Amino acid sequence: MCDRSAHWENVYATKGEAEVSWFQDSPAISLGMIRAARPDQRAAIIDIGGGASRLVDALLQGGYRDLAVLDLSANALDAAKRRIGQAASTIDWIVADATTWGPARIYDVWHDRAAFHFLTDPRDRAAYVERLRSAVAPGGHVIIATFAPDGPEKCSGLPVQRHDSASLAAELGPEFELVETQSETHHTPWNSTQAFQFSRFRRSS
């Protein structure tokens, strides 16, 4: 965890929000999948590896109020807090590694865009899924976006494990049913492209 944390603290200490390849001004697919999963604005939603992402802003604007954002980097979360302003006090900001974190509550929606694919060690993926299973309610939804099989092999100088919906389903196990999957060609701030896949799963009741 220390090595991962130090890496991401350095990234967010030295780069602005829009100076990282994964920056999105509008997280449209994520927001659409969350709305499809839980249109009830009372839903408890956690964004894993959310960093300085603008998803939490969009969820607030959409009327959702029970929100949490988890990231390895305190610098990333601080950037998001500054951008959001006063409403940031209503959000649960969690500085933690998703592979070692101890969830303190249950969530209706678990969202992760571009965190899971950094877990190249099967033991880390298993630890992540263990936390996910302890934190997602029966009937809850899991949305995971990663580089697609034809996406980049590295990001931010680190190797990644690319996925499709089938490989994610194998990682999560049979209690999570695939509901939908979408492809995205992400355009980085410097106009290169990256192939992503988004998969939404529903946990059996």
Side-chain angles (χ1 to χ4, degrees):
M1 174 183 174
C2 292
D3 289 343
R4 281 201 288 260
S5 178
H7 175 86
W8 294 111
E9 288 288 23
N10 181 65
V11 167
Y12 284 102
T14 58
K15 294 185 178 182
E17 177 190 4
E19 296 175 326
V20 293
S21 65
W22 52 92
F23 172 74
Q24 282 185 309
D25 185 54
S26 177
I29 295 179
S30 294
L31 189 59
M33 284 192 170
I34 290 170
R35 285 173 172 162
R38 278 290 187 273
D40 184 346
Q41 295 171 338
R42 296 171 296 177
I45 302 169
I46 185 165
D47 189 14
I48 300 295
S53 163
R54 297 191 175 190
L55 176 62
V56 70
D57 310 51
L59 290 170
L60 283 171
Q61 291 166 9
Y64 291 94
R65 290 294 177 266
D66 193 352
L67 303 175
V69 183
L70 179 147
D71 201 90
L72 280 164
S73 171
N75 285 326
L77 298 183
D78 286 344
K81 292 176 192 177
R82 289 192 296 271
R83 185 185 67 238
I84 292 169
Q86 186 175 356
S89 63
T90 68
I91 297 165
D92 185 15
W93 304 96
I94 305 167
V95 180
D97 185 323
T99 67
T100 58
W101 168 57
R105 61 168 301 187
I106 300 297
Y107 299 93
D108 299 304
V109 178
W110 174 291
H111 173 272
D112 171 347
R113 176 183 177 269
F116 188 73
H117 65 201
F118 285 107
L119 304 181
T120 57
D121 187 325
R123 294 170 296 182
D124 284 337
R125 294 197 296 275
Y128 174 106
V129 171
E130 181 181 349
R131 272 79 188 165
L132 181 154
R133 287 178 175 153
S134 71
V136 176
H141 289 251
V142 175
I143 299 163
I144 300 180
T146 67
F147 286 146
D150 58 342
E153 296 181 348
K154 287 188 174 184
C155 181
S156 189
L158 300 176
V160 300
Q161 178 72 46
R162 298 173 294 182
H163 290 279
D164 57 17
S165 59
S167 67
L168 287 176
E171 296 281 358
L172 295 182
E175 69 190 283
F176 292 89
E177 176 189 5
L178 179 66
V179 178
E180 65 171 318
T181 187
Q182 293 187 45
S183 298
E184 180 191 44
T185 300
H186 171 63
H187 294 268
T188 71
W190 38 93
N191 294 320
S192 63
T193 59
Q194 298 173 332
F196 270 82
Q197 68 77 41
F198 288 70
S199 296
R200 175 163 66 95
F201 299 85
R202 183 181 182 275
R203 187 174 197 171
S204 56
S205 299

